[in-house]
């Protein structure tokens, strides 16, 4: 957690020390001016500044949470850039003002004493409020970058507590710190951190569609750096430098660091010799002015005193209440205030035109059948949101982003015809992108192309398994091992995931798991049975039967495949499931029966996934043009990692991979699976009748 905590710790320490020094100077000035009775006014202003800063952070958090994902990314990116600007200005301001900060504040306090309690509260509020708002904004951006980690808040809390302790020590004169050197050193580190925050913010703006170049990578080290290692995590958490960065991120990072650091260091060198000790006569002036103010206050007629807690409570409560109202009024009103009824005869009862923005609809099935529920554009049938299998008598939330357009509910019961509600029109609210519906007819052409690819592959496989059979029958076991790998890679490239080939897959590539006799069981057959025998010293005579059976089963699959029932809706699933199997079985070594060629099988599975994406490309390009470029980048990354693990026909066994190589391969495959995950939803066949 320290990697996420350090930037917030530093900003908490530095900003806390700045604010603490300001408060210390205000308090010391009043004490020296013998105006201790005015100290509550200083603390009231400080409390007000803290309340405003915390309320500001709450508004940022809840405002972002109510936005759609892309809007959240754009919002976070904009605030990250603003935070960088504030932090940069703060670093330069403190470098210039550190030497004169005390005298300037004392002059302001002297003037405030003469003008009344309200002005003293305002002086302390403004002096501390600037630091508080900067801290809230910067902490919010670092917390966004850290995701769900508690590191940023923990680091900030530790930094603020340490700053409070240092300020107390400085005030009581039990500590001596060279503040000029402190603020210079922390300024250098903050500039480096701010450069990373700038890069992170620009990446968010790219993800949110505000800036171009989302897939234009200048740096892609994901294949050679373990993103989960301690050093990688530390660099990412502290400096916001990622293994994969776009050209915009890299150029902005380098340019910011070069320009700002140069100006900061040059300014330190130029101004350092001019430092002078603080002049003491100011204290005398302030003391007399403070005394004058105190005496003037004493001559005023006595007024009815209000309770001392009223003003501090008010200055804390008012910002909190305002922030709460802002959040409450700004949050999208749930469309589910009136439940939307669903049944096989009446769909969308109670549905009225919703407000634009992120909305939650409460869908209640009042019918007797389970039903699919879709929020659609009735003119195009495009889907904005859906619930699958809403059971009778149950209520579930459906969340959708509403923009200008026409909306209706479509209910498709388990049996019977689809029912569509009356349409409503929404005006304003920007744009929301629905998912264009996919029909069986849309998937017909990709399915035909994919079946042709598999059919051709099965013809090739039949010839390869016959050659393998002849090798074993002739006693050429060395050649059989080579031909076994060739044939097995061909089969793995055909996408045999989750029962694609029905019962033939278990016969051809079934595992010994669960069989009473394990690898020696009479029902253990296929490629893995031959692999076990070829790499465990079994004789040609023992392997002849399994080799003949494999050839027979492959030939049977070749004949049966054209007439096998292949649901068009399963085709998009294969784009994810093939590599899901790979991660579960091949990359764990679970299916290795002695050859050590699991990575060769994974390579063939990757080739099968490429083929699937090729036939699905026209549908994906129309519906989600950004998905395929991202997936292609992921596939290339996995391919490079696999290519690095074989030399000619020899592949590194999974168990002999180094820990770093294994983590990289697992991580890259996991990222690929994550980016493939939307494809089944994008190309799902939605019921319409």
């Amino acid at each position: 957690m320290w990697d996420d905590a350090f930037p917030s710790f530093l900003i908490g320490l530095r900003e806390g020390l700045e604010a603490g020094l300001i408060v210390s100077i205000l308090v010391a000035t009043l004490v020296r001016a013998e105006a201790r009775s005015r100290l509550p006014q200083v603390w009231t202003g400080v409390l007000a500044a803290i309340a405003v800063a915390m309320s500001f952070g709450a508004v940022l958090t809840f405002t972002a949470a109510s936005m759609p994902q892309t809007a959240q990314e754009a919002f976070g990116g904009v605030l990250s850039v603003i935070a960088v600007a504030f932090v940069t200005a703060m670093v330069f301001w403190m470098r210039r003002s550190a030497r004169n900060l005390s005298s300037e504040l004392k002059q302001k306090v002297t003037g405030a004493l003469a003008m009344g309690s309200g002005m003293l509260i305002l002086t302390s509020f403004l002096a501390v409020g600037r630091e508080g708002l900067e801290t809230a904004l910067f902490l919010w951006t670092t917390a966004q970058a850290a995701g769900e980690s508690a590191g940023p808040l923990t680091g900030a809390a530790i930094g603020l507590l340490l700053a409070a302790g240092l300020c107390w020590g400085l005030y009581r004169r039990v500590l001596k710190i060279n503040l000029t050197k402190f603020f210079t050193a922390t300024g250098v580190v903050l500039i480096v951190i701010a450069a990373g925050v700038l890069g992170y913010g620009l990446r968010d703006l790219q993800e949110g569609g505000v800036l171009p170049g989302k897939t234009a990578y200048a740096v892609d080290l994901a294949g050679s750096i373990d993103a989960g290692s301690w050093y990688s995590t530390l660099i990412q958490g502290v400096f916001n430098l990622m293994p994969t960065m776009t050209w915009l991120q890299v150029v902005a990072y380098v340019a910011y660091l070069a320009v700002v650091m140069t100006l900061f260091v040059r300014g330190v060198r130029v101004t350092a010799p001019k430092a002078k000790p603080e002049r003491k006569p100011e204290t005398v002036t302030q003391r007399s002015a403070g005394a004058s103010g105190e005496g003037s206050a004493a001559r005023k007629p006595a007024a009815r005193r209000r309770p001392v807690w009223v003003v501090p409570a008010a200055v804390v409560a008012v910002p909190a209440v305002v922030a709460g109202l802002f959040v409450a009024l700004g949050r999208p009103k749930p469309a589910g205030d009136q439940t939307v009824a669903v049944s096989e005869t009446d769909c969308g009862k109670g549905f009225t035109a919703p407000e634009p923005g992120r909305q939650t609809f409460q869908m209640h099935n009042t019918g007797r059948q389970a039903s699919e529920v879709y929020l659609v554009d009735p003119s195009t049938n495009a889907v904005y949101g859906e619930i699958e299998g809403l059971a009778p008598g149950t209520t579930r939330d459906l969340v959708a982003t509403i923009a200008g357009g026409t909306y209706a509910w479509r209910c498709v019961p388990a049996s019977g015809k689809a029912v569509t509600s009356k349409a409503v029109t929404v005006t304003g609210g920007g744009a929301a992108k629905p998912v264009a519906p996919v029909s069986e007819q849309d998937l017909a052409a990709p399915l035909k192309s994919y079946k042709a690819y598999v059919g051709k592959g099965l013809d090739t496989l039949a010839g390869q398994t016959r050659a393998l059979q002849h090798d074993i029958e002739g006693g050429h076991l060395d050649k059989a091992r080579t031909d076994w790998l060739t044939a097995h890679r061909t089969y793995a490239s055909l996408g045999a995931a989750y029962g694609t080939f029905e019962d033939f897959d278990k016969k051809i590539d079934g595992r010994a798991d669960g069989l009473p006799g394990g690898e020696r069981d009479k029902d253990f057959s296929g490629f893995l049975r031959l692999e076990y025998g070829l790499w465990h010293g079994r004789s040609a005579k023992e392997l002849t039967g399994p080799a003949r059976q494999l050839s027979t089963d492959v030939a049977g699959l070749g004949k049966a495949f054209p007439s096998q029932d292949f649901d068009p809706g399963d085709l998009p699933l294969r784009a994810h499931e093939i590599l899901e199997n790979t991660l579960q079985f091949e990359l764990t070594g679970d299916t290795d029966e002695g050859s050590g060629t699991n990575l060769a099988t994974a390579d063939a599975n990757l080739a099968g996934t490429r083929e699937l994406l090729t036939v699905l490309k026209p549908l994906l390009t129309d519906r989600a043009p950004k998905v395929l470029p991202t997936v292609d980048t992921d596939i290339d990354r996995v391919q490079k990692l696999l290519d690095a693990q074989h030399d000619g026909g020899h592949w590194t066994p999974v168990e002999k991979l180094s820990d770093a190589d294994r983590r990289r391969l697992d991580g890259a495959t996991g990222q690929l699976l994550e980016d493939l995950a939307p494809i089944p939803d994008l190309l799902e066949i939605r019921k319409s009748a």
Side-chain angles (χ1 to χ4, degrees):
M1 186 173 66
W2 177 245
D3 50 289
D4 291 328
F6 178 72
S8 298
F9 165 77
L10 184 62
I11 198 71
L13 175 62
R14 182 187 169 100
E15 292 287 274
L17 191 55
E18 285 186 28
L21 287 173
I22 290 171
V23 174
S24 299
I25 294 169
L26 295 176
V27 171
T29 303
L30 291 177
V31 170
R32 292 172 185 171
E34 299 179 359
R36 289 178 179 269
S37 62
R38 309 291 289 273
L39 287 177
Q41 297 163 14
V42 171
W43 293 118
T44 298
V46 172
L47 284 175
I50 294 172
V52 168
M54 295 182 70
S55 300
F56 178 58
V59 168
L60 292 180
T61 300
F62 288 106
T63 300
S66 65
M67 295 179 175
Q69 184 62 37
T70 54
Q72 287 185 33
E73 290 166 347
F75 182 71
V78 169
L79 289 183
S80 294
V81 174
I82 294 174
V84 170
F86 273 128
V87 169
T88 306
M90 175 265 291
V91 167
F92 280 92
W93 175 80
M94 183 50 75
R95 190 202 69 198
R96 292 193 306 269
S97 305
R99 294 183 306 278
N100 302 320
L101 184 63
S102 179
S103 59
E104 290 178 2
L105 284 172
K106 289 176 182 178
Q107 291 174 6
K108 290 180 180 179
V109 171
T110 300
L113 281 170
M115 297 177 68
S117 61
M119 185 55 66
L120 189 55
I121 292 174
L122 181 62
T123 299
S124 59
F125 170 78
L126 293 177
V128 179
R130 178 179 183 274
E131 317 301 330
L133 291 175
E134 286 177 352
T135 303
L137 181 57
F138 197 81
L139 288 181
W140 188 86
T141 58
T142 54
Q144 288 294 107
E148 297 181 358
S149 170
L153 293 181
T154 303
I158 294 172
L160 290 171
L161 288 174
L162 181 57
L166 292 175
C167 287
W168 180 87
L170 290 170
Y171 177 76
R172 303 296 298 179
R173 297 184 179 180
V174 297
L175 284 177
K176 290 185 179 181
I177 299 176
N178 188 322
L179 294 176
T180 300
K181 290 184 178 179
F182 172 82
F183 285 120
T184 299
T186 55
V188 169
V189 179
L190 273 180
I191 289 171
V192 176
I193 292 175
V197 173
L198 177 62
Y200 174 83
L202 293 176
R203 179 60 176 172
D204 271 354
L205 291 174
Q206 289 178 313
E207 294 285 350
V210 178
L211 295 176
K214 176 182 174 181
T215 58
Y217 296 114
V219 178
D220 187 1
L221 302 177
S224 55
I225 291 180
D226 177 18
S229 64
W230 68 268
Y231 57 86
S232 180
T233 304
L234 183 65
I235 292 173
Q236 291 179 55
V238 175
F239 302 113
N240 273 306
L241 291 175
M242 304 301 173
T244 303
M245 296 181 68
T246 63
W247 278 105
L248 179 60
Q249 287 180 279
V250 172
V251 170
Y253 182 90
V254 173
Y256 174 88
L257 203 57
V259 173
V260 176
M261 190 67 78
T262 300
L263 293 175
F264 182 78
V265 173
R266 183 181 298 171
V268 170
R269 291 175 178 173
V270 170
T271 58
K274 297 181 180 180
K276 295 180 180 180
E278 185 182 325
R279 293 179 298 175
K280 294 183 178 179
E282 292 176 353
T283 304
V284 177
T285 304
Q286 290 153 5
R287 182 179 292 114
S288 61
S292 174
E294 186 79 6
S296 176
R299 289 193 296 271
K300 291 181 180 179
R304 186 167 58 90
R305 297 184 63 185
R306 67 171 67 90
V308 294
W309 56 267
V310 171
V311 175
V315 298
V316 172
V318 169
V321 171
V322 172
L325 290 173
F326 185 92
V327 171
L329 297 176
R331 180 176 290 179
K333 299 176 182 178
D337 285 347
Q338 292 183 344
T339 300
V340 180
V342 173
S343 75
E344 53 269 34
T345 58
D346 191 4
C347 183
K349 185 177 180 181
F351 177 50
T352 57
E355 295 292 328
R358 191 80 164 172
Q359 300 290 357
T360 300
F361 301 88
Q362 291 181 334
M363 311 305 299
H364 179 62
N365 190 341
T366 59
R368 297 182 178 180
Q369 298 185 43
S371 182
E372 310 288 313
V373 184
Y374 304 103
L375 180 62
V376 301
D377 180 342
S379 62
T380 64
N381 292 324
V383 178
Y384 289 91
E386 63 184 303
I387 295 178
E388 296 183 359
L390 182 62
T394 60
T395 301
R396 286 165 60 186
D397 288 347
L398 186 151
V399 180
T401 300
I402 303 299
T406 305
Y407 297 85
W409 292 104
R410 179 164 296 151
C411 306
V412 186
S415 62
K417 294 184 177 180
V419 181
T420 303
S421 73
K422 181 180 178 181
V424 300
T425 301
V426 176
T427 57
K433 191 172 183 180
V435 176
V438 174
S439 65
E440 289 193 16
Q441 185 177 358
D442 293 328
L443 285 169
L447 181 59
K448 182 179 179 181
S449 298
Y450 186 67
K451 292 185 75 171
Y453 161 77
V454 173
K456 184 178 179 181
L458 288 174
D459 290 341
T460 301
L461 180 65
Q464 292 171 342
T465 53
R466 285 195 299 270
L468 174 60
Q469 175 188 338
H470 294 154
D471 293 338
I472 292 174
E473 289 175 340
H476 308 300
L477 298 187
D478 286 340
K479 188 171 186 303
R481 294 184 185 94
T482 301
D483 287 344
W484 175 89
L485 180 57
T486 301
H488 193 236
R489 280 170 56 82
T490 298
Y491 184 75
S493 70
L494 301 181
Y498 291 85
T500 300
F501 298 138
E502 299 179 353
D503 292 339
F504 282 99
D505 182 50
K506 186 175 181 181
K507 297 176 182 178
I508 294 172
D509 205 36
R511 299 185 299 278
D513 300 352
L515 295 176
E519 282 84 356
R520 300 176 184 275
D521 195 283
K522 62 182 180 59
D523 292 329
F524 183 36
S525 62
F527 278 111
L528 300 188
R529 168 69 179 86
L530 287 175
E531 179 187 6
Y532 180 81
L534 287 169
W535 274 272
H536 283 83
R538 298 298 183 262
S539 66
K541 183 178 180 180
E542 291 178 275
L543 298 177
T544 296
R548 289 174 179 172
Q549 185 61 49
L550 176 61
S551 292
T552 300
D553 290 336
V554 168
L557 174 59
K559 291 178 181 179
F561 179 71
S563 60
Q564 283 183 339
D565 184 22
F566 200 125
D567 186 346
D570 286 346
L571 192 62
L573 292 174
R574 297 295 177 266
H576 184 271
E577 289 175 346
I578 293 173
L579 289 178
E580 190 174 52
N581 271 5
T582 303
L583 187 62
Q584 181 180 0
F585 300 116
E586 270 64 53
L587 296 186
T588 60
D590 185 64
T591 56
D592 184 16
E593 293 291 352
S595 69
T597 59
N598 276 120
L599 295 185
T601 306
D603 182 70
N605 288 337
L606 193 64
T609 302
R610 284 185 190 271
E611 182 63 30
L612 263 172
L613 294 173
T614 298
V615 300
L616 294 173
K617 183 176 181 179
L619 295 177
L620 287 172
T621 301
D622 290 342
R623 288 161 177 78
K626 296 181 179 180
V627 168
L628 278 179
T630 301
V631 167
D632 287 342
T633 300
D634 293 340
I635 288 178
D636 290 341
R637 187 180 303 145
V638 175
Q639 187 68 67
K640 289 178 182 178
L641 292 172
L642 290 172
D643 289 344
Q645 299 303 327
H646 74 95
D647 180 15
H650 178 264
W651 290 79
T652 303
V654 169
E655 66 271 13
K656 291 187 178 180
L657 288 171
S658 68
D659 289 342
D661 287 341
R662 191 164 186 169
R663 284 196 300 267
R664 280 194 286 266
L665 186 55
D666 288 346
T669 306
Q671 182 62 54
L672 173 55
L673 280 170
E674 184 177 331
D675 291 331
L676 286 170
I679 292 178
D681 288 334
L682 288 170
L683 302 185
E684 179 185 357
I685 297 175
R686 268 112 179 153
K687 298 177 182 178
S688 59

